[in-house]
mmCIF file of all heavy atoms in Angstrom:
data_model
loop_
_atom_site.group_PDB
_atom_site.id
_atom_site.type_symbol
_atom_site.label_atom_id
_atom_site.label_comp_id
_atom_site.label_asym_id
_atom_site.label_seq_id
_atom_site.Cartn_x
_atom_site.Cartn_y
_atom_site.Cartn_z
ATOM 1 N N GLY A 3 50.291 113.122 162.645
ATOM 2 C CA GLY A 3 49.213 112.315 162.066
ATOM 3 C C GLY A 3 47.867 112.598 162.666
ATOM 4 O O GLY A 3 46.881 111.903 162.358
ATOM 5 N N ILE A 4 47.740 113.626 163.482
ATOM 6 C CA ILE A 4 46.479 113.946 164.139
ATOM 7 C C ILE A 4 45.700 114.949 163.277
ATOM 8 O O ILE A 4 46.234 115.987 162.890
ATOM 9 C CB ILE A 4 46.730 114.514 165.554
ATOM 10 C CG1 ILE A 4 47.296 113.394 166.439
ATOM 11 C CG2 ILE A 4 45.449 115.074 166.164
ATOM 12 C CD1 ILE A 4 47.681 113.824 167.821
ATOM 13 N N PRO A 5 44.443 114.644 162.958
ATOM 14 C CA PRO A 5 43.659 115.512 162.048
ATOM 15 C C PRO A 5 43.368 116.888 162.635
ATOM 16 O O PRO A 5 43.257 117.050 163.850
ATOM 17 C CB PRO A 5 42.357 114.714 161.844
ATOM 18 C CG PRO A 5 42.257 113.810 163.024
ATOM 19 C CD PRO A 5 43.675 113.468 163.395
ATOM 20 N N LYS A 6 43.247 117.860 161.744
ATOM 21 C CA LYS A 6 42.986 119.246 162.151
ATOM 22 C C LYS A 6 41.673 119.351 162.918
ATOM 23 O O LYS A 6 41.574 120.147 163.879
ATOM 24 C CB LYS A 6 42.950 120.154 160.930
ATOM 25 C CG LYS A 6 42.763 121.624 161.282
ATOM 26 C CD LYS A 6 42.715 122.501 160.066
ATOM 27 C CE LYS A 6 42.622 123.980 160.458
ATOM 28 N NZ LYS A 6 41.450 124.273 161.296
ATOM 29 N N ALA A 7 40.662 118.569 162.552
ATOM 30 C CA ALA A 7 39.367 118.644 163.231
ATOM 31 C C ALA A 7 39.529 118.330 164.719
ATOM 32 O O ALA A 7 38.882 118.955 165.566
ATOM 33 C CB ALA A 7 38.388 117.662 162.589
ATOM 34 N N LEU A 8 40.392 117.390 165.033
ATOM 35 C CA LEU A 8 40.592 117.051 166.438
ATOM 36 C C LEU A 8 41.397 118.125 167.150
ATOM 37 O O LEU A 8 41.120 118.463 168.307
ATOM 38 C CB LEU A 8 41.291 115.696 166.568
ATOM 39 C CG LEU A 8 41.364 115.209 168.018
ATOM 40 C CD1 LEU A 8 40.969 113.751 168.133
ATOM 41 C CD2 LEU A 8 42.765 115.399 168.601
ATOM 42 N N MET A 9 42.395 118.687 166.470
ATOM 43 C CA MET A 9 43.164 119.781 167.059
ATOM 44 C C MET A 9 42.238 120.944 167.412
ATOM 45 O O MET A 9 42.373 121.556 168.468
ATOM 46 C CB MET A 9 44.256 120.226 166.105
ATOM 47 C CG MET A 9 45.328 119.187 165.815
ATOM 48 S SD MET A 9 46.290 118.699 167.258
ATOM 49 C CE MET A 9 47.119 120.220 167.684
ATOM 50 N N ASP A 10 41.297 121.229 166.526
ATOM 51 C CA ASP A 10 40.341 122.317 166.781
ATOM 52 C C ASP A 10 39.445 121.979 167.970
ATOM 53 O O ASP A 10 39.132 122.844 168.799
ATOM 54 C CB ASP A 10 39.481 122.569 165.540
ATOM 55 C CG ASP A 10 40.275 123.144 164.383
ATOM 56 O OD1 ASP A 10 41.385 123.667 164.633
ATOM 57 O OD2 ASP A 10 39.784 123.101 163.240
ATOM 58 N N GLU A 11 39.037 120.710 168.061
ATOM 59 C CA GLU A 11 38.180 120.277 169.166
ATOM 60 C C GLU A 11 38.906 120.378 170.510
ATOM 61 O O GLU A 11 38.322 120.707 171.542
ATOM 62 C CB GLU A 11 37.707 118.852 168.925
ATOM 63 C CG GLU A 11 36.596 118.363 169.845
ATOM 64 C CD GLU A 11 35.288 119.095 169.623
ATOM 65 O OE1 GLU A 11 34.954 119.411 168.474
ATOM 66 O OE2 GLU A 11 34.596 119.358 170.640
ATOM 67 N N LEU A 12 40.226 120.100 170.480
ATOM 68 C CA LEU A 12 41.011 120.175 171.719
ATOM 69 C C LEU A 12 41.043 121.593 172.285
ATOM 70 O O LEU A 12 41.198 121.760 173.500
ATOM 71 C CB LEU A 12 42.450 119.706 171.450
ATOM 72 C CG LEU A 12 42.653 118.187 171.309
ATOM 73 C CD1 LEU A 12 44.081 117.899 170.864
ATOM 74 C CD2 LEU A 12 42.375 117.482 172.642
ATOM 75 N N GLU A 13 40.901 122.587 171.437
ATOM 76 C CA GLU A 13 40.947 123.966 171.910
ATOM 77 C C GLU A 13 39.828 124.246 172.919
ATOM 78 O O GLU A 13 39.963 125.116 173.776
ATOM 79 C CB GLU A 13 40.848 124.945 170.742
ATOM 80 C CG GLU A 13 42.131 125.027 169.908
ATOM 81 C CD GLU A 13 43.317 125.543 170.716
ATOM 82 O OE1 GLU A 13 43.126 126.458 171.537
ATOM 83 O OE2 GLU A 13 44.429 125.021 170.522
ATOM 84 N N ASN A 14 38.719 123.500 172.839
ATOM 85 C CA ASN A 14 37.631 123.703 173.793
ATOM 86 C C ASN A 14 38.051 123.413 175.218
ATOM 87 O O ASN A 14 37.486 123.965 176.168
ATOM 88 C CB ASN A 14 36.444 122.793 173.422
ATOM 89 C CG ASN A 14 35.788 123.192 172.106
ATOM 90 O OD1 ASN A 14 35.826 124.357 171.722
ATOM 91 N ND2 ASN A 14 35.210 122.231 171.415
ATOM 92 N N MET A 15 39.058 122.535 175.373
ATOM 93 C CA MET A 15 39.511 122.181 176.716
ATOM 94 C C MET A 15 40.180 123.352 177.424
ATOM 95 O O MET A 15 40.274 123.378 178.654
ATOM 96 C CB MET A 15 40.474 120.987 176.655
ATOM 97 C CG MET A 15 39.850 119.693 176.140
ATOM 98 S SD MET A 15 41.016 118.324 176.083
ATOM 99 C CE MET A 15 41.357 118.078 177.835
ATOM 100 N N PHE A 16 40.674 124.324 176.648
ATOM 101 C CA PHE A 16 41.352 125.465 177.237
ATOM 102 C C PHE A 16 40.378 126.540 177.710
ATOM 103 O O PHE A 16 40.804 127.582 178.236
ATOM 104 C CB PHE A 16 42.336 126.076 176.222
ATOM 105 C CG PHE A 16 43.549 125.249 175.990
ATOM 106 C CD1 PHE A 16 43.590 124.298 174.984
ATOM 107 C CD2 PHE A 16 44.666 125.386 176.813
ATOM 108 C CE1 PHE A 16 44.710 123.519 174.769
ATOM 109 C CE2 PHE A 16 45.794 124.619 176.614
ATOM 110 C CZ PHE A 16 45.828 123.682 175.588
ATOM 111 N N ALA A 17 39.090 126.320 177.509
ATOM 112 C CA ALA A 17 38.093 127.324 177.874
ATOM 113 C C ALA A 17 38.061 127.591 179.377
ATOM 114 O O ALA A 17 37.755 128.705 179.823
ATOM 115 C CB ALA A 17 36.705 126.901 177.379
ATOM 116 N N GLY A 18 38.353 126.585 180.171
ATOM 117 C CA GLY A 18 38.327 126.757 181.611
ATOM 118 C C GLY A 18 39.266 125.758 182.278
ATOM 119 O O GLY A 18 39.637 124.760 181.691
ATOM 120 N N GLY A 19 39.636 126.019 183.518
ATOM 121 C CA GLY A 19 40.510 125.118 184.246
ATOM 122 C C GLY A 19 41.955 125.273 183.853
ATOM 123 O O GLY A 19 42.344 126.154 183.089
ATOM 124 N N ASN A 20 42.792 124.405 184.397
ATOM 125 C CA ASN A 20 44.233 124.422 184.154
ATOM 126 C C ASN A 20 44.563 123.322 183.156
ATOM 127 O O ASN A 20 44.946 122.215 183.531
ATOM 128 C CB ASN A 20 44.995 124.204 185.469
ATOM 129 C CG ASN A 20 46.490 124.122 185.251
ATOM 130 O OD1 ASN A 20 47.057 124.824 184.437
ATOM 131 N ND2 ASN A 20 47.137 123.220 186.002
ATOM 132 N N THR A 21 44.400 123.621 181.884
ATOM 133 C CA THR A 21 44.654 122.633 180.823
ATOM 134 C C THR A 21 45.999 122.892 180.174
ATOM 135 O O THR A 21 46.322 124.033 179.844
ATOM 136 C CB THR A 21 43.548 122.672 179.750
ATOM 137 O OG1 THR A 21 42.295 122.351 180.354
ATOM 138 C CG2 THR A 21 43.831 121.691 178.638
ATOM 139 N N ARG A 22 46.767 121.844 180.005
ATOM 140 C CA ARG A 22 48.066 121.921 179.346
ATOM 141 C C ARG A 22 48.130 120.882 178.236
ATOM 142 O O ARG A 22 47.534 119.806 178.345
ATOM 143 C CB ARG A 22 49.210 121.701 180.346
ATOM 144 C CG ARG A 22 49.182 122.623 181.548
ATOM 145 C CD ARG A 22 49.355 124.079 181.128
ATOM 146 N NE ARG A 22 49.072 125.023 182.199
ATOM 147 C CZ ARG A 22 50.015 125.676 182.869
ATOM 148 N NH1 ARG A 22 51.306 125.478 182.602
ATOM 149 N NH2 ARG A 22 49.682 126.539 183.803
ATOM 150 N N LEU A 23 48.866 121.194 177.184
ATOM 151 C CA LEU A 23 48.992 120.293 176.040
ATOM 152 C C LEU A 23 50.465 120.156 175.664
ATOM 153 O O LEU A 23 51.194 121.154 175.600
ATOM 154 C CB LEU A 23 48.189 120.830 174.860
ATOM 155 C CG LEU A 23 48.113 119.960 173.601
ATOM 156 C CD1 LEU A 23 46.767 120.190 172.906
ATOM 157 C CD2 LEU A 23 49.249 120.287 172.627
ATOM 158 N N ILE A 24 50.896 118.914 175.422
ATOM 159 C CA ILE A 24 52.232 118.676 174.914
ATOM 160 C C ILE A 24 52.122 117.760 173.707
ATOM 161 O O ILE A 24 51.393 116.757 173.741
ATOM 162 C CB ILE A 24 53.174 118.097 176.001
ATOM 163 C CG1 ILE A 24 54.602 117.988 175.476
ATOM 164 C CG2 ILE A 24 52.667 116.749 176.527
ATOM 165 C CD1 ILE A 24 55.638 117.780 176.579
ATOM 166 N N MET A 25 52.786 118.122 172.639
ATOM 167 C CA MET A 25 52.674 117.388 171.367
ATOM 168 C C MET A 25 54.046 116.867 170.946
ATOM 169 O O MET A 25 54.998 117.622 170.783
ATOM 170 C CB MET A 25 52.113 118.325 170.291
ATOM 171 C CG MET A 25 51.999 117.715 168.908
ATOM 172 S SD MET A 25 51.076 118.812 167.745
ATOM 173 C CE MET A 25 52.166 120.248 167.682
ATOM 174 N N PHE A 26 54.133 115.530 170.796
ATOM 175 C CA PHE A 26 55.347 114.888 170.309
ATOM 176 C C PHE A 26 55.194 114.583 168.829
ATOM 177 O O PHE A 26 54.147 114.092 168.390
ATOM 178 C CB PHE A 26 55.607 113.576 171.053
ATOM 179 C CG PHE A 26 55.789 113.731 172.535
ATOM 180 C CD1 PHE A 26 54.904 113.140 173.439
ATOM 181 C CD2 PHE A 26 56.854 114.475 173.043
ATOM 182 C CE1 PHE A 26 55.097 113.272 174.801
ATOM 183 C CE2 PHE A 26 57.030 114.631 174.410
ATOM 184 C CZ PHE A 26 56.149 114.021 175.298
ATOM 185 N N PHE A 27 56.238 114.836 168.039
ATOM 186 C CA PHE A 27 56.111 114.554 166.607
ATOM 187 C C PHE A 27 57.479 114.511 165.933
ATOM 188 O O PHE A 27 58.488 114.961 166.481
ATOM 189 C CB PHE A 27 55.231 115.608 165.928
ATOM 190 C CG PHE A 27 55.828 117.003 165.909
ATOM 191 C CD1 PHE A 27 56.507 117.481 164.801
ATOM 192 C CD2 PHE A 27 55.672 117.840 167.008
ATOM 193 C CE1 PHE A 27 57.038 118.746 164.787
ATOM 194 C CE2 PHE A 27 56.212 119.128 167.009
ATOM 195 C CZ PHE A 27 56.895 119.585 165.878
ATOM 196 N N ASN A 28 57.469 113.933 164.736
ATOM 197 C CA ASN A 28 58.617 113.993 163.836
ATOM 198 C C ASN A 28 58.271 115.027 162.765
ATOM 199 O O ASN A 28 57.128 115.048 162.276
ATOM 200 C CB ASN A 28 58.884 112.634 163.191
ATOM 201 C CG ASN A 28 59.222 111.579 164.207
ATOM 202 O OD1 ASN A 28 58.406 110.712 164.516
ATOM 203 N ND2 ASN A 28 60.426 111.633 164.748
ATOM 204 N N PRO A 29 59.200 115.872 162.362
ATOM 205 C CA PRO A 29 58.895 116.944 161.411
ATOM 206 C C PRO A 29 58.816 116.448 159.967
ATOM 207 O O PRO A 29 59.663 116.752 159.147
ATOM 208 C CB PRO A 29 60.074 117.918 161.612
ATOM 209 C CG PRO A 29 61.212 117.024 162.010
ATOM 210 C CD PRO A 29 60.600 115.939 162.842
ATOM 211 N N VAL A 30 57.749 115.714 159.662
ATOM 212 C CA VAL A 30 57.656 115.082 158.345
ATOM 213 C C VAL A 30 56.835 115.862 157.325
ATOM 214 O O VAL A 30 56.864 115.533 156.141
ATOM 215 C CB VAL A 30 57.069 113.655 158.470
ATOM 216 C CG1 VAL A 30 57.954 112.784 159.321
ATOM 217 C CG2 VAL A 30 55.659 113.681 159.034
ATOM 218 N N VAL A 31 56.096 116.876 157.761
ATOM 219 C CA VAL A 31 55.232 117.601 156.833
ATOM 220 C C VAL A 31 55.492 119.100 156.900
ATOM 221 O O VAL A 31 55.966 119.620 157.912
ATOM 222 C CB VAL A 31 53.743 117.332 157.103
ATOM 223 C CG1 VAL A 31 53.397 115.870 156.779
ATOM 224 C CG2 VAL A 31 53.378 117.643 158.556
ATOM 225 N N LEU A 32 55.165 119.792 155.831
ATOM 226 C CA LEU A 32 55.377 121.233 155.741
ATOM 227 C C LEU A 32 54.075 121.994 155.836
ATOM 228 O O LEU A 32 53.917 123.077 155.252
ATOM 229 C CB LEU A 32 56.082 121.561 154.413
ATOM 230 C CG LEU A 32 57.464 120.919 154.223
ATOM 231 C CD1 LEU A 32 58.029 121.286 152.879
ATOM 232 C CD2 LEU A 32 58.405 121.318 155.345
ATOM 233 N N SER A 33 53.129 121.443 156.570
ATOM 234 C CA SER A 33 51.833 122.112 156.781
ATOM 235 C C SER A 33 51.233 121.580 158.073
ATOM 236 O O SER A 33 51.766 120.655 158.682
ATOM 237 C CB SER A 33 50.884 121.832 155.605
ATOM 238 O OG SER A 33 50.678 120.429 155.470
ATOM 239 N N GLY A 34 50.127 122.172 158.484
ATOM 240 C CA GLY A 34 49.443 121.696 159.684
ATOM 241 C C GLY A 34 50.071 122.203 160.976
ATOM 242 O O GLY A 34 50.999 123.021 160.971
ATOM 243 N N GLU A 35 49.557 121.693 162.090
ATOM 244 C CA GLU A 35 49.963 122.178 163.424
ATOM 245 C C GLU A 35 51.426 121.936 163.730
ATOM 246 O O GLU A 35 52.093 122.752 164.338
ATOM 247 C CB GLU A 35 49.080 121.507 164.488
ATOM 248 C CG GLU A 35 48.990 122.271 165.790
ATOM 249 C CD GLU A 35 48.017 123.445 165.709
ATOM 250 O OE1 GLU A 35 46.992 123.324 165.019
ATOM 251 O OE2 GLU A 35 48.292 124.498 166.334
ATOM 252 N N THR A 36 51.950 120.776 163.300
ATOM 253 C CA THR A 36 53.338 120.435 163.631
ATOM 254 C C THR A 36 54.340 121.294 162.848
ATOM 255 O O THR A 36 55.510 121.350 163.223
ATOM 256 C CB THR A 36 53.637 118.950 163.378
ATOM 257 O OG1 THR A 36 53.358 118.625 162.012
ATOM 258 C CG2 THR A 36 52.805 118.070 164.291
ATOM 259 N N TYR A 37 53.901 121.914 161.788
ATOM 260 C CA TYR A 37 54.759 122.856 161.062
ATOM 261 C C TYR A 37 54.552 124.271 161.587
ATOM 262 O O TYR A 37 55.503 125.021 161.806
ATOM 263 C CB TYR A 37 54.456 122.803 159.560
ATOM 264 C CG TYR A 37 55.383 123.660 158.723
ATOM 265 C CD1 TYR A 37 56.673 123.223 158.421
ATOM 266 C CD2 TYR A 37 54.985 124.914 158.255
ATOM 267 C CE1 TYR A 37 57.532 124.023 157.654
ATOM 268 C CE2 TYR A 37 55.830 125.718 157.499
ATOM 269 C CZ TYR A 37 57.105 125.256 157.209
ATOM 270 O OH TYR A 37 57.958 126.037 156.457
ATOM 271 N N ALA A 38 53.296 124.620 161.820
ATOM 272 C CA ALA A 38 52.968 125.966 162.284
ATOM 273 C C ALA A 38 53.589 126.280 163.652
ATOM 274 O O ALA A 38 53.994 127.411 163.904
ATOM 275 C CB ALA A 38 51.464 126.148 162.352
ATOM 276 N N CYS A 39 53.682 125.261 164.513
ATOM 277 C CA CYS A 39 54.193 125.506 165.873
ATOM 278 C C CYS A 39 55.644 125.982 165.889
ATOM 279 O O CYS A 39 56.085 126.585 166.864
ATOM 280 C CB CYS A 39 54.017 124.258 166.743
ATOM 281 S SG CYS A 39 55.076 122.893 166.273
ATOM 282 N N ALA A 40 56.372 125.682 164.825
ATOM 283 C CA ALA A 40 57.774 126.106 164.753
ATOM 284 C C ALA A 40 57.998 127.223 163.733
ATOM 285 O O ALA A 40 59.122 127.668 163.526
ATOM 286 C CB ALA A 40 58.655 124.918 164.387
ATOM 287 N N HIS A 41 56.884 127.681 163.116
ATOM 288 C CA HIS A 41 57.004 128.704 162.102
ATOM 289 C C HIS A 41 55.983 129.834 162.346
ATOM 290 O O HIS A 41 56.205 130.657 163.228
ATOM 291 C CB HIS A 41 56.832 128.077 160.699
ATOM 292 C CG HIS A 41 57.934 127.131 160.366
ATOM 293 N ND1 HIS A 41 57.909 125.785 160.714
ATOM 294 C CD2 HIS A 41 59.099 127.321 159.719
ATOM 295 C CE1 HIS A 41 59.020 125.200 160.300
ATOM 296 N NE2 HIS A 41 59.762 126.096 159.698
ATOM 297 N N GLY A 42 54.888 129.854 161.630
ATOM 298 C CA GLY A 42 53.946 130.967 161.727
ATOM 299 C C GLY A 42 53.330 131.187 163.108
ATOM 300 O O GLY A 42 52.999 132.290 163.481
ATOM 301 N N GLN A 43 53.156 130.091 163.882
ATOM 302 C CA GLN A 43 52.565 130.196 165.205
ATOM 303 C C GLN A 43 53.581 129.903 166.326
ATOM 304 O O GLN A 43 53.237 129.494 167.429
ATOM 305 C CB GLN A 43 51.384 129.241 165.327
ATOM 306 C CG GLN A 43 50.254 129.563 164.363
ATOM 307 C CD GLN A 43 49.068 128.619 164.503
ATOM 308 O OE1 GLN A 43 49.001 127.801 165.420
ATOM 309 N NE2 GLN A 43 48.120 128.718 163.583
ATOM 310 N N LYS A 44 54.834 130.126 166.023
ATOM 311 C CA LYS A 44 55.905 129.806 166.974
ATOM 312 C C LYS A 44 55.734 130.501 168.320
ATOM 313 O O LYS A 44 56.045 129.943 169.375
ATOM 314 C CB LYS A 44 57.249 130.191 166.351
ATOM 315 C CG LYS A 44 58.457 129.754 167.164
ATOM 316 C CD LYS A 44 59.755 130.069 166.414
ATOM 317 C CE LYS A 44 60.963 129.601 167.220
ATOM 318 N NZ LYS A 44 62.233 129.873 166.479
#
């Protein structure tokens, strides 16, 4: 349920330092980050 605009903004945090991200979700959609992480961007 997290919008793509925010996911893109989060990428700025990886520019420096020791940043880690963990995403919890239910596989309810066939598009977006929660689908890509297990498919095209696995």
Side-chain angles (χ1 to χ4, degrees):
I4 293 175
K6 183 181 184 302
L8 188 134
M9 295 297 296
D10 292 343
E11 192 67 37
L12 284 172
E13 286 298 320
N14 293 331
M15 296 180 66
F16 287 92
N20 176 38
T21 298
R22 305 297 169 104
L23 184 149
I24 186 165
M25 178 171 63
F26 299 118
F27 67 97
N28 298 105
V30 299
V31 293
L32 300 178
S33 60
E35 203 78 36
T36 58
Y37 185 79
C39 68
H41 294 87
Q43 297 181 9
K44 187 175 181 179

